[in-house]
Amino acid sequence: MKPNTIHQIDCIEGMEEMEEGSVDLIVTSPPYNIGKAYTTYDDTMNRADYLEWMGEVAEASHRVLSECGSFFLNIGGTPKDPWIPIDVANEFRKKGFYLQNMIHWIKSIAIPRPDMGSYTNINGDIAVGHYKPINSKRFHNDCHEFIFHFTKTGDVPLDKLAIGVPYQDKSNIGRWKKGGSDLRDRGNTWFIPYETINERRPHPAVFPIGLPTLCIKDHGIERCRLVLDPFMGIGSTAIACIRLGINYIGFEIDSSYREIALERIREEKE
Ligand SMILES: C[S@@+](CC[C@H](N)C(=O)[O-])C[C@H]1O[C@@H](n2cnc3c(N)ncnc32)[C@H](O)[C@@H]1O
């Protein structure tokens, strides 16, 4: 299968054409089955059929992933149906994947100043990220999604400090550091804002380029010979790979999304 290409093909058929163990990292976001208005794909499957399909995706992915590869699966639910991501993760579990890390993609966070303690360099309340109000007395705003980090063994080393964050309180450097850098593990709560786009979004369910970027760096750039995104959409993972100088393969069944992805890639290369 030709690398650095987005193939217009069903992802399971695409993976069947790939060699066993040929991919070091899979990062993707499948349809969530919540009725999103995709151009062609129908996002309203019967739940049992959807979960069975996700199991087939897991099985095909397990075959193409290398022994010490990582699969970062981004998926969320809805306030009314928060079980979707957990149910899908369980299908991956049944197909032999270990849940090595359960990461929360934080889209929006608010921290009132009094909750921040004694940090002298923070002056006021913080409220950052994309916030879409919902009209409900029952549910809180959904400000997070999951990024399930699956591996074949549960024992795949990560390059955690490649996505490390600076210590807020510099006195901790001396207390916790090994080797003197001002970086600590980011932990499993990743704040990743959406890129600001002025025109209408051409796809109803994209993730920010920052998401695959963090996943690739966390797995370790030098251990990524080939990245696969089986649900490539408009090419966010491909752009992350181009910026990091890594080979990728993408599958996307919708020709219009693939065209937009190719256009974004052309612009990125210019
Ligand atoms: C959640 S979106 C992914 C968006 C992508 N992460 C981005 O940032 O552009 C899921 C995508 O999967 C595609 N899709 C649905 N069924 C597919 C299949 N069987 N094989 C490949 N792609 C599929 C849809 O057309 C949709 O673009």
Side-chain angles (χ1 to χ4, degrees), residues 138-158:
R138 282 190 291 168
F139 302 123
H140 286 287
N141 276 81
D142 205 2
C143 298
H144 88 120
E145 292 189 12
F146 289 96
I147 306 172
F148 296 116
H149 173 222
F150 291 112
T151 59
K152 287 187 169 183
T153 59
D155 198 19
V156 172
L158 293 172

Side-chain angles (χ1 to χ4, degrees), residues 7-15 27-32 36 38-43 53-54 57 74 194-195 203-209 211-212 229-237 250-258 261 264:
H7 303 265
Q8 193 192 335
I9 185 173
D10 168 82
C11 62
I12 295 180
E13 286 174 26
M15 285 190 270
V27 54
T28 200
S29 181
Y32 300 177
K36 282 274 176 195
Y38 293 104
T39 311
T40 50
Y41 172 77
D42 179 4
D43 198 32
W53 176 46
M54 285 293 110
V57 171
N74 161 230
Y194 281 105
E195 297 97 10
H203 187 289
V206 294
F207 52 41
I209 296 164
L211 190 150
D229 187 339
F231 298 98
M232 184 58 100
I234 59 167
S236 311
T237 300
F251 301 126
E252 172 55 55
I253 39 158
D254 188 307
S255 61
S256 64
Y257 296 150
R258 180 174 172 274
R264 289 177 84 201

Side-chain angles (χ1 to χ4, degrees), residues 41-80:
Y41 172 77
D42 179 4
D43 198 32
T44 58
M45 271 169 117
N46 164 296
R47 179 67 153 256
D49 292 345
Y50 171 70
L51 291 178
E52 192 182 327
W53 176 46
M54 285 293 110
E56 288 164 12
V57 171
E59 204 168 351
S61 306
H62 198 275
R63 193 188 68 80
V64 296
L65 194 65
S66 63
E67 238 2 74
C68 43
S70 287
F71 188 144
F72 289 89
L73 177 76
N74 161 230
I75 183 161
T78 66
K80 273 193 194 143

